[in-house]
Amino acid sequence: MAMSFFDQFMSPVYLGIPLMALALTLPWVLFPTPSARWLNNRVLTLQGWFINRFTQQLLLPLNPGGHKWAALLASLMVFLISLNMLGLLPYTFTPTTQLSLNMGLAVPLWLATVIIGMRNQPTHALGHLLPEGTPPLLIPVLIIIETISLFIRPLALGVRLTANLTAGHLLIQLIATAAFVLLPLMPTVAVLTAVVLFLLTLLEVAVAMIQAYVFVLLLSLYLQENV
């Protein structure tokens, strides 16, 4: 029974064909297509308002050189929110619970920020490895520590997103299983468990959006250090 809880995190396969690509491309099909009319419908208006507000808040602390990343960061934010929210539906698969996918998103984007910093302002980028006013005896130790912390950043991005979504899905499945088991034995406790399950589902909806925002926000902070 304990192993079956983790079956939901296995990559779906149909006739030997992995369906990960389908799970990644389906959210883009659900997005409304822009219209050539002057007046849009409510869905397009809400989508445009959300993306504009998010982009403004995200690019507020960035230098003008980092504004070139606006389209990439906004698209990544919408993509991650769509994947996380669709994964909360019954009988669906959440690709962002796979560490390989999250690392595949985090490592190239983090590496791009580091390369930009090394190319545009190498002295400033390397200066992050050694704080100003460091005693000479601590210079080698601090350089090693800062280098390790620099390379841990993409791992932290991927693990944070994977761990939060995996823990939420496991809690939902555990509480739902408890509610079904307790229903014929203790109906009152089962109803209370169902209420807790409903509240936890609302919390997971918030977590799905917040984790996508945190992922993109940390990328923008890494970009801010190197632009």
Side-chain angles (χ1 to χ4, degrees), residues 84-101:
N84 296 345
M85 296 291 288
L86 289 175
L88 293 174
L89 297 176
Y91 302 103
T92 56
F93 172 70
T94 312
T96 45
T97 56
Q98 304 295 313
L99 183 60
S100 57
L101 173 67

Side-chain angles (χ1 to χ4, degrees), residues 178-190:
F180 276 108
V181 171
L182 293 173
L183 186 59
L185 303 176
M186 293 179 286
T188 305
V189 179

Side-chain angles (χ1 to χ4, degrees), residues 173-183 190 193:
Q173 187 168 2
L174 285 170
I175 295 179
T177 304
F180 276 108
V181 171
L182 293 173
L183 186 59
T193 307

Side-chain angles (χ1 to χ4, degrees), residues 92-157:
T92 56
F93 172 70
T94 312
T96 45
T97 56
Q98 304 295 313
L99 183 60
S100 57
L101 173 67
N102 296 332
M103 293 300 295
L105 292 174
V107 172
L109 293 173
W110 164 82
L111 189 60
T113 62
V114 174
I115 292 175
I116 287 176
M118 291 295 183
R119 186 188 65 178
N120 295 340
Q121 40 187 3
T123 304
H124 180 71
L126 294 175
H128 291 296
L129 302 179
L130 186 62
E132 187 177 356
T134 305
L137 293 177
L138 297 179
I139 288 178
V141 178
L142 279 180
I143 290 178
I144 294 174
I145 293 175
E146 292 296 331
T147 304
I148 293 174
S149 66
L150 177 66
F151 284 97
I152 282 180
R153 284 180 173 181
L155 181 63
L157 279 177

